[in-house]
Amino acid sequence: MKLWKGRFSKEATSSSDEFNASIPFDQRMYEEDIKGSIAHAGMLAKQGILTEEEGALIIKTLGEILEDIKAGKIEFSIEGEDIHMSIETILTERIGQTGKKLHTARSRNDQVAVDFRLWLRKETAEIDSKLDELMKTLQELAETHQETVMPGYTHLQRAQPVTLAYHLLAYYQMFSRDKERFADGLKRINRLPLGSGALAGTTYNTDRQYLADQLGFDSILPNGMDAVADRDFAIEFLNCCSICMMHLSRFCEELILWSSVEFGFVEIDDSYSTGSSIMPQKKNPDMAELIRGKSGRVYGDLMALLTVCKGLPMAYNKDLQEDKEPVFDASDTVKNSLGIFTEMISTMTVKKDTMAKAAKYGYMNATDAADYLVGKGIPFRDCHEIIGKMVLYAIGEGKALDELTMEEFKSFSDAFAEDIYDAISIENCIKAKQSEGSTSFESVRKQLDKITSQ
Ligand code: ARG
């Protein structure tokens, strides 16, 4: 039976009922809906809008409905239309006339907004703890790999030697910004819309501050029309999800490259890889590829909601029912991706020797060789040219720079002496970095200490 049937003389068709209903997906918010209703009933009783007995009966029965849903005893149907009316219908079935009083001084418009905000508050906390786990894993891996030398790249060309710890800590920084971003979004999620009515407020002497306190909101939204029409908080959440997926996706791209025979820097554990149905030798980094792919899906969720909202006049419009599926999808995807990713990197094997070998060949100490000549009083531009010619020569000879003989060095500049070999050893190239935040062993140690002390 429809709760709004009074004004209608004709039944909706079953296809339009189905099209209109959000219960198949918004039932996920049953707990938030009941919590919101319990706070609302408590407020109505406190304000004398309901009697104490009526308030108490509603609250008690809502608690029982919550338990029954959790125990799987309740099946929702399309007739209920959405989670708000479904719960209200069950309540009324159980306690009759009193149940019908719950919706006094409230609209589904402020109800859906409060449910969605409560749901996002919970999800933000879950994502935050998943980010913590990932960051802890990165920190532990970085501790282990402070001496693991590898090529650092620009343009995906070998550029300068770095340590794996340094590379991992770059990602640590990205994920710590994600944490900040979600926490900042939470500030705007955690504001109370309830009590705004359909759009214009209510004629009852309600107490919105009481509702905010009961439900743990930091403040009350100051304008009722904004409160029921706003979905900025959900768009921001999707933005945070999208950036976080972009970070995971970049990391996955590297793991996919690194696990190829061409790189051979890591081996992803069997439990996070799959085989080919035709090529027996294959071991594919499917989890990493899926996370990379799912970043596209989460961006799509963000675009969907931005587009849903862009042409909406004030205040609530049914278009806004389209807010939930993309947000549910993005949140599930981010949580699953963070979880799988953390497991994948904590079980992968790092092939230190292959990394070290790649760091040795690739002329990544060329900048250090130029810096060596600067130390002998030659202007940097000239040094750049001298070393450029030397690299060209070494490529022709199939040698690394530190494999050239003293005689060969001297043929490019008289300034070279025996200490050049030390100056351009890969270890020393890393050690010699002096700027704050560099890849030097000492600087990475400091970066790790700073994280640990936070
Ligand atoms: N199911 C609706 C939604 O998700 C709830 C709000 C409906 N409000 C209304 N006036 N029809 O947006």
Side-chain angles (χ1 to χ4, degrees), residues 7 25 31 48 50 81 139 152 161 174 190 209 217 259 261 263 265 268 279 324 331 389 404:
R7 188 229 175 275
F25 50 87
E31 187 155 9
L50 292 183
E81 191 175 319
Q139 183 187 349
M174 296 177 225
N190 208 26
Q209 188 54 51
F217 283 98
S259 61
V261 174
F263 275 81
F265 288 179
I268 296 176
M279 298 165 281
K324 277 166 281 297
S331 194
K389 286 185 174 143
L404 297 177

Side-chain angles (χ1 to χ4, degrees), residues 380-399:
F380 182 78
R381 252 319 130 222
D382 294 339
C383 303
H384 189 286
E385 192 174 341
I386 294 167
I387 304 298
K389 286 185 174 143
M390 211 168 80
V391 167
L392 190 63
Y393 169 81
I395 291 172
E397 296 296 302
K399 287 178 169 180

Side-chain angles (χ1 to χ4, degrees), residues 22 26 81-82 84 108-109 112 231 316 318 320-321 323-324:
S22 52
D26 70 10
E81 191 175 319
D82 58 24
H84 326 294
R108 265 189 300 157
N109 299 350
V112 70
R231 293 296 182 271
Y316 178 85
K318 191 68 174 240
L320 288 176
Q321 184 165 287
D323 60 358
K324 277 166 281 297

Side-chain angles (χ1 to χ4, degrees), residues 181-182 234-245 302:
R181 235 183 310 273
F182 277 109
I235 294 172
E236 281 193 70
F237 175 82
L238 290 174
N239 175 50
C240 296
C241 290
S242 298
I243 298 179
C244 180
M245 287 304 292
L302 169 63

Side-chain angles (χ1 to χ4, degrees), residues 318-377:
K318 191 68 174 240
D319 313 46
L320 288 176
Q321 184 165 287
E322 288 295 311
D323 60 358
K324 277 166 281 297
E325 285 162 294
V327 169
F328 292 164
D329 180 68
S331 194
D332 289 343
T333 308
V334 167
K335 284 192 296 181
N336 290 337
S337 301
L338 283 169
I340 288 280
F341 186 83
T342 304
E343 290 166 27
M344 184 171 66
I345 60 167
S346 56
T347 52
M348 74 187 178
T349 310
V350 173
K351 297 186 189 160
K352 288 192 209 176
D353 293 348
T354 321
M355 283 188 170
K357 206 164 153 210
K360 183 165 167 58
Y361 295 95
Y363 305 98
M364 287 184 296
N365 48 4
T367 313
D368 303 85
D371 287 340
Y372 170 91
L373 290 180
V374 170
K376 304 281 172 177

Side-chain angles (χ1 to χ4, degrees), residues 93-362:
E93 276 164 14
R94 294 194 182 186
I95 59 173
Q97 292 302 103
T98 310
K100 292 186 185 169
K101 294 189 176 177
L102 172 63
H103 211 54
T104 317
R106 181 177 81 169
S107 152
R108 265 189 300 157
N109 299 350
D110 55 356
Q111 198 181 352
V112 70
V114 81
D115 291 8
F116 207 25
R117 284 170 184 268
L118 287 173
W119 190 84
L120 278 171
R121 191 168 81 186
K122 181 189 75 192
E123 292 297 297
T124 301
E126 283 177 26
I127 292 175
D128 185 70
S129 76
K130 296 222 175 267
L131 278 166
D132 280 341
E133 281 165 40
L134 169 55
M135 287 161 68
K136 193 166 147 272
T137 303
L138 284 173
Q139 183 187 349
E140 285 163 5
L141 276 172
E143 283 285 349
T144 313
H145 290 288
Q146 290 179 74
E147 316 264 302
T148 306
V149 172
M150 65 178 288
Y153 295 82
T154 63
H155 312 269
L156 203 54
Q157 305 288 324
R158 290 181 192 175
Q160 292 187 316
V162 295
T163 62
L164 177 58
Y166 186 60
H167 198 122
L168 294 169
L169 289 179
Y171 281 102
Y172 184 97
Q173 291 301 324
M174 296 177 225
F175 293 118
S176 78
R177 287 196 296 276
D178 287 331
K179 234 175 108 67
E180 274 177 40
R181 235 183 310 273
F182 277 109
D184 197 66
L186 185 60
K187 291 186 206 158
R188 284 170 294 283
I189 288 173
N190 208 26
R191 295 175 186 171
L192 177 89
L194 196 60
S196 301
L199 76 162
T202 71
T203 51
Y204 300 87
N205 172 31
T206 52
D207 183 349
R208 294 187 67 207
Q209 188 54 51
Y210 173 86
L211 291 174
D213 294 342
Q214 290 295 305
L215 294 169
F217 283 98
D218 296 329
S219 64
I220 298 169
L221 287 165
N223 178 289
M225 184 175 278
D226 175 50
V228 292
D230 170 46
R231 293 296 182 271
D232 295 358
F233 64 94
I235 294 172
E236 281 193 70
F237 175 82
L238 290 174
N239 175 50
C240 296
C241 290
S242 298
I243 298 179
C244 180
M245 287 304 292
M246 180 265 286
H247 292 152
L248 285 175
S249 183
R250 290 181 79 165
F251 208 154
C252 284
E253 166 69 10
E254 295 203 301
L255 293 181
I256 293 161
L257 285 171
W258 291 1
S259 61
S260 68
V261 174
E262 283 71 11
F263 275 81
F265 288 179
V266 296
E267 183 170 349
I268 296 176
D269 195 72
D270 278 5
S271 353
Y272 299 95
S273 312
T274 59
S276 156
S277 57
I278 175 170
M279 298 165 281
Q281 86 285 7
K282 288 292 289 282
K283 181 171 157 184
N284 298 326
D286 285 31
M287 306 304 144
E289 292 168 70
L290 271 174
I291 295 171
R292 187 177 60 183
K294 282 175 194 290
S295 64
R297 167 182 177 144
V298 173
Y299 295 0
D301 292 328
L302 169 63
M303 286 309 125
L305 189 54
L306 274 170
T307 314
V308 163
C309 291
K310 87 184 224 322
L312 296 185
M314 287 294 110
Y316 178 85
N317 300 268
K318 191 68 174 240
D319 313 46
L320 288 176
Q321 184 165 287
E322 288 295 311
D323 60 358
K324 277 166 281 297
E325 285 162 294
V327 169
F328 292 164
D329 180 68
S331 194
D332 289 343
T333 308
V334 167
K335 284 192 296 181
N336 290 337
S337 301
L338 283 169
I340 288 280
F341 186 83
T342 304
E343 290 166 27
M344 184 171 66
I345 60 167
S346 56
T347 52
M348 74 187 178
T349 310
V350 173
K351 297 186 189 160
K352 288 192 209 176
D353 293 348
T354 321
M355 283 188 170
K357 206 164 153 210
K360 183 165 167 58
Y361 295 95

